[in-house]
Amino acid sequence: MIYAVGIGPGNRETMTYEAMSAFEESDVIVGYKTYIDLVKDLIKDKEVVSNGMKQEVDRVKKAIEISKTGKTVSVISSGDAGVYGMAGLILELSEDEEVRVISGVTASTAAAAVLGAPLMHDFCHISLSDLLTSLDLIYKRVALASEGDFVICIYNPRSKGRPDYLKDAFKIMKIHKSGSTPVGIVKNACRENQEVHICTIDTIDYETVDMLSIVIVGNSSTYIKNNKIITKRGYETKY
Amino acid sequence: MIYAVGIGPGNRETMTYEAMSAFEESDVIVGYKTYIDLVKDLIKDKEVVSNGMKQEVDRVKKAIEISKTGKTVSVISSGDAGVYGMAGLILELSEDEEVRVISGVTASTAAAAVLGAPLMHDFCHISLSDLLTSLDLIYKRVALASEGDFVICIYNPRSKGRPDYLKDAFKIMKIHKSGSTPVGIVKNACRENQEVHICTIDTIDYETVDMLSIVIVGNSSTYIKNNKIITKRGYETKY
């Protein structure tokens, strides 16, 4: 049995009961070492197999191997295992092993809760990482999502290897979105060193954004009140 | 103090520890009666204020009134309180009350976990309810999201009052998405009477979809394996 477990944004409080049950049932916990560290207090009595970034395929192969010996394995993802997480690769590479995906609070909605309520209306998720996706397609999505007045949640917004993608994405957004559109940046959402920045498309400081940040860009109904970002659902025009 | 609490898709297992703590700290639980029923075993010793659908504004006003008397109030949403949930309205209508949004597993990712791993790549959420949004804008978003090859999660896909919106949305999707694109329908995700249908854009039976369903439409990399829907992230071309 393999559980693809989403541990949520990072502290025990934001985990689900189901994720904890999966750990309890598991003989072995497999994961990227940064995420293993986030739950190390919860898996003290378990065998742990961890490795580094970009070793996802290797990690899943190991989990499948262990499961073939009859052991129960949890492969952990931060956030939801099914959102840019490990669930897909496990299902792709497994043969007749039983696989169960355990949802968690995904990074965008955890960040949204910290910022206020930016995701009250139609929204999309775009990852700016071009490791597995062409940059052309990424920017095309940014353009179309902006044209559709979606709230946009940006995953993997900025890293040392790609310092300017976010700036370029914002240039594209500005074709359709006003410069005064609220923007929220949450670094390390729900973790010890959480940082929050509230700004606009025009006033964003790209240097405050790193790989561990989620950036949420509002739609035309988004506003800032008491330092919280709120996207109006439209009740005021209806009721 | 007002907590905007996301209870997740519907059973205790998929709730977070934080949601449970909010209930424990609360004197009063306020919610739509269907959602109150989902957690009734967890709030037995609490005062409960519930009302019906489309009474969101009234519900929030009541919660704010109660909070002004010094009581701690939890206002519940299914899924994540910040995703088409009550968090926005609470922040819009509150004055100097302290408000905290408690995230939960949102309906799309809960449904995705049941279906396999359809959300491995950029995706968006579109609600087909035109109570608060014009149908033109909804269909425009469906068209742009399809053109951008997003995986699309459809909330509020179909009700008695709007039996044909989903069919019309699928017609629009077909301009850009292949008829063989996998589609997953999950009704009552993670609740007692959960139902799952896996089909394609061409083979969907609209009658299997109702108000309590989430519909997830794949992108050009989505396929079906062992009755699970998987969207490839792109590892196979990279590593």
Side-chain angles (χ1 to χ4, degrees):
Chain A
M1 173 64 147
I2 305 177
Y3 290 110
V5 181
I7 59 168
N11 61 16
R12 185 200 148 118
E13 281 298 293
T14 52
M15 261 178 65
T16 64
Y17 288 88
E18 197 175 34
M20 185 63 88
S21 303
F23 288 160
E24 281 164 7
E25 273 181 48
S26 293
D27 304 296
V28 185
I29 314 289
V30 176
Y32 169 42
K33 55 183 185 300
T34 305
Y35 300 152
I36 290 282
D37 281 349
L38 289 173
V39 295
K40 62 177 187 289
D41 293 343
L42 309 174
I43 55 171
K44 274 179 185 160
D45 56 334
K46 305 293 178 183
E47 189 186 330
V48 171
V49 176
S50 71
N51 66 7
M53 230 171 59
K54 301 186 191 173
Q55 298 183 308
E56 293 88 352
V57 173
D58 193 44
R59 201 181 303 146
V60 168
K61 283 182 179 165
K62 270 188 192 145
I64 291 172
E65 247 172 60
I66 296 166
S67 133
K68 281 189 195 299
T69 69
K71 290 183 176 174
T72 297
V73 188
S74 280
V75 180
I76 65 177
S77 292
S78 73
D80 189 296
V83 176
Y84 306 110
M86 299 300 289
L89 205 52
I90 296 169
L91 287 168
E92 278 188 63
L93 300 181
S94 62
E95 290 151 23
D96 47 8
E97 296 76 24
E98 197 184 342
V99 176
R100 226 187 112 205
V101 183
I102 310 276
S103 291
V105 171
T106 187
S108 59
T109 75
V114 172
L115 294 167
L119 307 183
M120 284 295 109
H121 218 297
D122 299 339
F123 64 103
C124 62
H125 293 75
I126 301 175
S127 165
L128 293 192
S129 166
D130 63 343
L131 275 178
L132 302 172
T133 310
S134 79
L135 198 52
D136 282 350
L137 179 58
I138 293 171
Y139 288 157
K140 181 181 172 187
R141 286 177 177 161
V142 170
L144 292 165
S146 303
E147 188 182 343
D149 198 26
F150 282 95
V151 177
I152 302 179
C153 304
I154 302 178
Y155 279 61
N156 307 307
R158 194 162 178 267
S159 70
K160 280 179 191 157
R162 35 186 186 77
D164 294 326
Y165 291 9
L166 184 64
K167 197 173 170 180
D168 293 342
F170 267 58
K171 263 189 216 152
I172 296 166
M173 285 185 213
K174 276 195 72 170
I175 300 168
H176 294 284
K177 287 181 181 284
S178 153
S180 63
T181 305
V183 174
I185 300 159
V186 184
K187 196 190 283 191
N188 292 308
C190 309
R191 296 180 195 168
E192 261 180 19
N193 37 2
Q194 175 178 295
E195 266 182 46
V196 182
H197 301 277
I198 288 178
C199 53
T200 66
I201 288 184
D202 277 344
T203 65
I204 185 171
D205 174 2
Y206 299 104
E207 295 301 319
T208 59
V209 181
D210 68 4
M211 245 181 77
L212 298 170
S213 307
I214 291 285
V215 178
I216 298 182
V217 182
N219 73 9
S220 59
S221 300
T222 306
Y223 70 109
I224 297 172
K225 173 188 170 187
N226 297 337
N227 214 32
K228 294 283 180 192
I229 299 182
I230 305 169
T231 298
K232 285 193 230 183
R233 184 82 189 269
Y235 290 106
E236 70 287 356
T237 55
K238 181 80 185 180
Y239 303 121
Chain B
M1 173 63 146
I2 305 177
Y3 289 111
V5 182
I7 60 167
N11 60 17
R12 186 200 148 118
E13 280 300 293
T14 51
M15 262 178 65
T16 65
Y17 287 89
E18 198 174 34
M20 186 64 88
S21 303
F23 288 160
E24 282 164 6
E25 273 181 49
S26 293
D27 304 295
V28 185
I29 315 289
V30 176
Y32 170 41
K33 55 184 185 302
T34 305
Y35 301 152
I36 291 281
D37 282 348
L38 288 172
V39 295
K40 62 178 187 290
D41 293 343
L42 310 173
I43 55 172
K44 274 180 184 159
D45 56 335
K46 305 294 179 184
E47 188 186 330
V48 171
V49 176
S50 71
N51 65 6
M53 231 171 58
K54 300 185 190 170
Q55 298 183 307
E56 293 88 352
V57 173
D58 191 45
R59 201 180 305 147
V60 169
K61 283 182 179 165
K62 270 188 193 147
I64 291 172
E65 247 172 61
I66 296 166
S67 135
K68 281 189 195 300
T69 68
K71 289 184 175 172
T72 297
V73 187
S74 280
V75 179
I76 65 177
S77 291
S78 73
D80 189 295
V83 176
Y84 306 110
M86 299 301 290
L89 205 52
I90 295 168
L91 287 167
E92 279 189 61
L93 299 180
S94 62
E95 291 151 21
D96 46 9
E97 296 77 24
E98 197 184 339
V99 176
R100 227 188 111 206
V101 183
I102 311 276
S103 290
V105 171
T106 187
S108 59
T109 75
V114 172
L115 293 168
L119 307 182
M120 285 296 108
H121 217 298
D122 300 338
F123 63 102
C124 63
H125 293 74
I126 301 175
S127 166
L128 293 192
S129 166
D130 64 343
L131 275 179
L132 302 172
T133 310
S134 79
L135 197 53
D136 282 351
L137 180 57
I138 293 170
Y139 287 157
K140 181 182 174 186
R141 286 177 177 160
V142 170
L144 291 165
S146 303
E147 188 181 344
D149 199 25
F150 283 94
V151 177
I152 303 178
C153 304
I154 303 177
Y155 279 60
N156 307 308
R158 193 161 179 267
S159 70
K160 280 179 192 157
R162 34 186 186 77
D164 294 326
Y165 292 10
L166 185 64
K167 196 174 171 179
D168 293 342
F170 267 58
K171 263 189 217 154
I172 296 166
M173 285 184 211
K174 276 194 73 169
I175 299 168
H176 294 285
K177 288 182 182 284
S178 153
S180 63
T181 305
V183 174
I185 300 159
V186 185
K187 196 190 281 191
N188 292 308
C190 308
R191 295 180 195 167
E192 262 180 19
N193 37 1
Q194 174 179 295
E195 266 182 46
V196 182
H197 301 277
I198 288 179
C199 53
T200 66
I201 288 184
D202 276 344
T203 65
I204 186 172
D205 173 3
Y206 299 104
E207 295 299 321
T208 58
V209 181
D210 68 4
M211 246 181 76
L212 299 170
S213 307
I214 291 285
V215 177
I216 299 182
V217 182
N219 73 7
S220 59
S221 301
T222 306
Y223 69 109
I224 297 172
K225 173 188 169 187
N226 297 338
N227 214 32
K228 294 283 179 192
I229 298 182
I230 305 170
T231 297
K232 286 193 230 183
R233 183 83 188 269
Y235 290 107
E236 70 289 354
T237 55
K238 182 79 182 179
Y239 304 121

